Amino acid sequence: MDWNITQNLSSNIVFGILLFATIIYWISLSLFRGKKNLVQIGKLSALIANGLLFFILGSRWIVAGYFPLSNLYESLLFLTWTILTIYLYLEYKTKSKLLGAVLLPIALLINGFANLTLSADMQKASPLVPALQSNWLMMHVSMMMLSYATLIIGSLLCILFLVLSKLQDVDLQLVDESTSLVFYNNIFAYYEAKVFSQENKSLVSNNVPFEEDIQEIAFLKLLKSLDNWSYRIIGLGFPFLTIGIIAGGVWANEAWGSYWSWDPKETWALITWLVFATYLHSRITKGWEGKKTAILGGLGFFVIWICYLGVNFLGKGLHSYGWLS
């Protein structure tokens, strides 16, 4: 069987698996007490999809003879694979079905765009144009795609924070730091494990209904977790973005004789860097958290997509290889 047919078939299977996993997570999230078996099925499906994407990218690398990041289709597959890999790690660390319900749809949409929107010619592996025949291809593009994946996930958690908090200011200092890195999606799980015990029955002796207290505690812990994890993930993605931009400048000087040409892609990469630099600066030096930084992070989600896809659909600039023109 032709390699292109095999890869396209595998990519379509990935789309079907991600669709199935997304539905499973949404169903499990809608069930109040949740079903562990459903979550395990969804996680296993995401793991299988991740393995298939790794096979597709690896086979393209072997067959074509270069790192598979030379066109839009390959970069979309790599972005999907990276998002799934980071998601699986976060799922392992947090044991949260909320992450799957939020992040898997993004991976599904990216993979669907690659398979259902792009033409067959754009999906084929083709020889590199002279400007791309450089060792800097792997360094620059891989760093940029890693930064896109991590920053997209961190920004999504910021948006989720804003949605759950309904754009209200929340005092996250009320949450115990020692337990803030765990997602309490299931209020009753927290209820049974932490509070509803013989030692804590004295907490009921107030005028506020006991169950409402537990819901408020669990909700604050969830917001604190979202805030912490978005900060950590964006903090990881920002150095990738910085390295990618620097590597791109060195490659540009080698290929075109100039480190910076104010190409639309370069300009929006700089804007993206400034947005997330502002986010990290406000957290590290100003001590901001919660709503203020979540707004900055949420803004970054849209800036990334403009940088990655938006400017290239104009068909202008030095970064239009393998794109629509």
Side-chain angles (χ1 to χ4, degrees), residues 144 148 241 245 264-273 300-313 319 323:
M144 293 303 294
Y148 289 161
L241 179 63
I245 292 175
K265 191 82 164 182
E266 295 172 351
T267 303
W268 276 97
L270 177 60
I271 293 172
T272 304
W273 189 90
F301 178 79
F302 301 99
V303 173
I304 290 171
W305 284 110
I306 294 173
C307 178
Y308 176 46
L309 291 180
V311 296
N312 291 89
F313 281 115
H319 290 78
W323 296 74

Side-chain angles (χ1 to χ4, degrees), residues 33-46:
R33 293 184 64 85
K35 296 293 182 182
K36 290 185 178 180
N37 291 337
L38 280 179
V39 175
Q40 291 301 321
I41 292 173
K43 189 188 302 183
L44 178 61
S45 300

